[in-house]
Amino acid sequence: MTLQLFFTFLLVSTANAQTTQQPNPCVRWGQQTARINNTLYVYGGQARLEPGQQSGTWTNAFLSLPLDSSFSTGSPPLKQISLGNANPPAVSLGSLFCGPEGSLLQYGGEFSDQPYVQPTQAPIWRWDESGGWRTQTLNGDGELVRIAEGAGAQMENGGNAYYFGGHMDYNSVYGWSIDTQRVYTGGLVEFDFQAGTYQNLSTGSSSDPVYRADHTLTWVPSDGKGLLVSLGGGNDHLIITNDVLDVYNLDTNEWGKQPTTGDTLPPRTNHCAVLGKSGDKNFQIFVYGGQNANQTARYSDVYILDIPSYKWTYVGDNLPGHPGVRVGHTCELVGREMLVVGGLVEQDLMCDQPGIYVYDVTASSWKTTFDGKTDYKYPENPSKCGW
């Protein structure tokens, strides 16, 4: 079968996914999410029509979830947004950022391997209500290529965005030979979508962190531009531990090693992390789920990293009402409610519909409703052990 036939098959599968799978497939994972005001946008990833489906799972479906009113997690008001005449890439494990004037920018991610789809050349796509989806060109030094399974973070109010790490191979980079091995990267790219520019912040110095993928990157405010905190991840030869963290200072443009204390988060990949603020300079990063390095165990536990003390707290596993283990999900903190979207679950679980869950970070418990009007407070009992 020729490459053209493979590509045609994927387009048919994707089209079917948009009309049949979405917005309520059997299970979705590896999607990209971003919040603009009171709307959560969900783009791409993979989705199965039925249990056991192994091919044709990549999708470019585009969904919205309103956050200005309450809803039951059993019937969230997900809506599908038409792609119009555009054909943005069906990619998984990339990043979705907020852009100027209510726009979204999609960068990174990998294309289908079953069946194989050749990556497209444009690494960035833009969406807004007036123009829909189209490619976006940014100015910068050197060629910007698509990197998969890196970690994205963004300053508040749609400020500069960052993409750290990931890998390059024939499933992500246009023109990459199938005979060339995967290459991991430790690069840190800064996007200024207002100015339409990008730059590589990596210096190649000895302080640069270990190359990694499947981690998270969280922007934390400070007196200046803020910090970027990397959690978890690994590569083919090394798994990253979380007792000493890689933290990038946006004011000095340097990576540093930050020791931690407490109940350290074990090595973790494909988890999610969100930021809460309990005071002028006190922050908490909540980490949920993920899997171990060799993908033999998936988790449903919750950890908290306090900043600036950098103390880990183990909240617990199997907390009341928990939705089960999951990996490849995304999370968004709205007030005191952490909204969880998708993720691969237990192997013997038939489906995970609709795949929307709410965790109350203050009460350290899972809920069956989203309220949308709660205020964030420091967890009442952060060391709860669960059942």
Side-chain angles (χ1 to χ4, degrees):
M1 186 178 293
T2 66
L3 181 61
Q4 180 61 40
L5 287 176
F6 274 130
F7 188 63
T8 303
F9 176 80
L10 181 76
L11 292 183
V12 172
S13 299
T14 301
N16 288 338
Q18 293 166 22
T19 57
T20 305
Q21 284 178 264
Q22 306 294 344
N24 189 23
C26 173
V27 62
R28 79 171 85 245
W29 73 99
Q31 70 280 338
Q32 297 115 109
T33 56
R35 177 187 173 191
I36 299 179
N37 298 324
N38 290 320
T39 301
L40 181 70
Y41 293 93
V42 182
Y43 177 77
Q46 297 188 62
R48 289 176 180 156
L49 282 165
E50 57 187 20
Q53 179 182 350
Q54 297 298 320
S55 65
T57 57
W58 265 260
T59 176
N60 61 357
F62 185 37
L63 312 173
S64 67
L65 178 63
L67 304 176
D68 54 356
S69 60
S70 61
F71 59 81
S72 167
T73 56
S75 56
L78 280 165
K79 297 180 181 179
Q80 186 165 348
I81 303 174
S82 173
L83 300 178
N85 295 323
N87 186 34
V91 291
S92 176
L93 300 171
S95 287
L96 193 64
F97 299 116
C98 300
E101 300 175 348
S103 64
L104 294 169
L105 284 300
Q106 192 284 323
Y107 169 73
E110 59 186 12
F111 288 72
S112 173
D113 59 358
Q114 295 186 35
Y116 174 71
V117 173
Q118 186 180 37
T120 57
Q121 190 167 7
I124 296 183
W125 282 70
R126 172 178 172 146
W127 174 87
D128 57 55
E129 289 190 1
S130 61
W133 284 102
R134 67 260 193 205
T135 59
Q136 176 74 39
T137 300
L138 301 179
N139 298 316
D141 296 330
E143 180 184 9
L144 181 66
V145 300
R146 183 180 295 275
I147 299 175
E149 299 187 70
Q154 189 166 18
M155 293 180 174
E156 60 187 353
N157 301 321
N160 287 2
Y162 302 88
Y163 194 88
F164 166 53
H167 59 71
M168 299 172 287
D169 59 21
Y170 66 93
N171 285 121
S172 62
V173 180
Y174 174 79
W176 193 280
S177 171
I178 196 171
D179 297 321
T180 303
Q181 292 185 342
R182 170 178 291 181
V183 174
Y184 286 85
T185 175
L188 176 63
V189 180
E190 180 182 58
F191 297 103
D192 185 337
F193 296 125
Q194 290 283 350
T197 61
Y198 68 89
Q199 64 173 323
N200 185 2
L201 298 181
S202 302
T203 62
S205 69
S206 58
S207 63
D208 283 357
V210 172
Y211 295 178
R212 69 196 66 186
D214 301 321
H215 51 298
T216 57
L217 188 70
T218 304
W219 175 76
V220 179
S222 68
D223 291 334
K225 296 179 180 179
L227 306 171
L228 298 174
V229 179
S230 178
L231 301 176
N235 56 46
D236 288 340
H237 308 289
L238 180 68
I239 185 67
I240 307 299
T241 61
N242 296 298
D243 53 344
V244 178
L245 304 178
D246 291 295
V247 178
Y248 189 84
N249 188 315
L250 289 168
D251 292 305
T252 63
N253 289 325
E254 293 178 328
W255 284 102
K257 298 291 184 182
Q258 176 62 56
T260 66
T261 61
D263 304 318
T264 304
L265 173 73
R268 195 63 54 98
T269 63
N270 301 114
H271 50 285
C272 77
V274 296
L275 180 72
K277 180 180 180 180
S278 60
D280 290 340
K281 296 182 180 180
N282 296 307
F283 304 92
Q284 293 77 43
I285 298 178
F286 294 85
V287 180
Y288 165 58
Q291 63 185 348
N292 61 1
N294 57 10
Q295 302 183 15
T296 58
R298 296 172 181 172
Y299 304 110
S300 63
D301 50 9
V302 177
Y303 281 80
I304 304 173
L305 177 66
D306 278 284
I307 298 174
S309 67
Y310 288 94
K311 179 180 179 180
W312 284 106
T313 299
Y314 171 63
V315 180
D317 194 5
N318 298 326
L319 295 170
H322 81 101
V325 301
R326 65 192 52 241
V327 57
H329 48 295
T330 54
C331 299
E332 181 75 29
L333 188 64
V334 184
R336 60 189 277 178
E337 296 173 301
M338 182 174 71
L339 194 65
V340 179
V341 180
L344 283 173
V345 292
E346 291 279 12
Q347 296 293 338
D348 58 354
L349 187 63
M350 296 298 289
C351 283
D352 185 51
Q353 293 172 312
I356 302 292
Y357 301 96
V358 176
Y359 175 74
D360 187 322
V361 300
T362 300
S364 300
S365 63
W366 292 91
K367 305 170 55 181
T368 58
T369 59
F370 173 79
D371 295 327
K373 297 180 180 180
T374 59
D375 294 326
Y376 177 79
K377 295 181 181 180
Y378 189 82
E380 297 168 350
N381 186 13
S383 59
K384 192 171 184 176
C385 294
W387 297 354

